[in-house]
Amino acid sequence: MGFQNFHGVDGSEGMLRLARRKGLYQDLKQCILGARPLPAPAESYDAVLIVGALSVGQVPCSVIRELWQVTKPGGYVCMTTRANASNREYKEELESVLQLMEQTGLWSRVTVLEEDLWEKAVSDQESGYIPGVVYLYRKSVGATHEQFNAMNQ
């Protein structure tokens, strides 16, 4: 796809320092997603990715709507979440939001990839690797903010 302009958001100043050292990003901002609005203008990105943050105790599912807002019409939103037992309720809530947004016509699902060996388990209750899911959606070109607002009521 040839993406060349990268912006990043993270809640941790330490992670932002690491990202700056990579030299990939043109803009980096600190923000605790869900606690403050996403610091990006509406309809400004061809692709939006959120990796490793959509899980219980981290970023609330309400942030998905903000990701949609900052994506250009026809642009892509790629998200990941864990599919292990401790994240099951969160995953169900996330998939409910994704489905509602699809039913409302805000976007269409491109693919959902379930992976059994997603990431190394870090809790005492699990060992080896835990499962995870990658979701890829494309924002509808004709999606309106009226549809978006109706979904939120």
Side-chain angles (χ1 to χ4, degrees):
M1 294 191 158
F3 300 115
Q4 297 178 355
N5 192 8
F6 296 92
H7 294 187
V9 174
D10 201 286
S12 163
E13 185 56 46
M15 290 304 290
L16 291 172
R17 276 194 301 275
L18 288 172
R20 280 187 194 93
R21 283 189 227 145
K22 298 281 182 190
L24 174 69
Y25 298 91
Q26 287 74 38
D27 188 28
L28 289 165
K29 294 181 180 166
Q30 187 174 14
C31 179
I32 304 294
L33 298 177
R36 290 185 292 165
L38 185 60
E43 298 185 346
S44 54
Y45 296 105
D46 295 313
V48 175
L49 295 95
I50 185 165
V51 178
L54 293 175
S55 63
V56 67
Q58 293 188 28
V59 174
C61 291
S62 60
V63 167
I64 302 305
R65 294 172 180 91
E66 293 183 59
L67 301 178
W68 179 88
Q69 286 181 304
V70 301
T71 305
K72 290 179 182 177
Y76 295 89
V77 179
C78 182
M79 302 156 277
T80 68
T81 195
R82 295 173 181 94
N84 58 331
S86 65
N87 200 53
R88 189 166 292 129
E89 286 182 31
Y90 182 95
K91 180 178 173 285
E92 288 172 2
E93 179 185 353
L94 173 65
E95 289 178 348
S96 176
V97 170
L98 299 176
Q99 184 177 21
L100 179 60
M101 291 176 72
E102 188 172 11
Q103 290 171 346
T104 309
L106 295 175
W107 59 18
S108 59
R109 182 174 59 187
V110 176
T111 192
V112 174
L113 174 65
E114 297 185 28
E115 180 60 49
D116 289 333
L117 303 175
W118 176 251
E119 67 183 20
K120 194 163 178 74
V122 295
S123 75
D124 294 338
Q125 293 80 31
E126 298 166 318
S127 62
Y129 287 83
I130 62 170
V133 185
V134 178
Y135 306 91
L136 181 62
Y137 283 82
R138 185 167 189 236
K139 184 174 180 175
S140 300
V141 173
T144 66
H145 286 282
E146 288 76 26
Q147 285 172 287
F148 177 81
N149 292 334
M151 186 196 73
N152 289 324
Q153 295 178 354

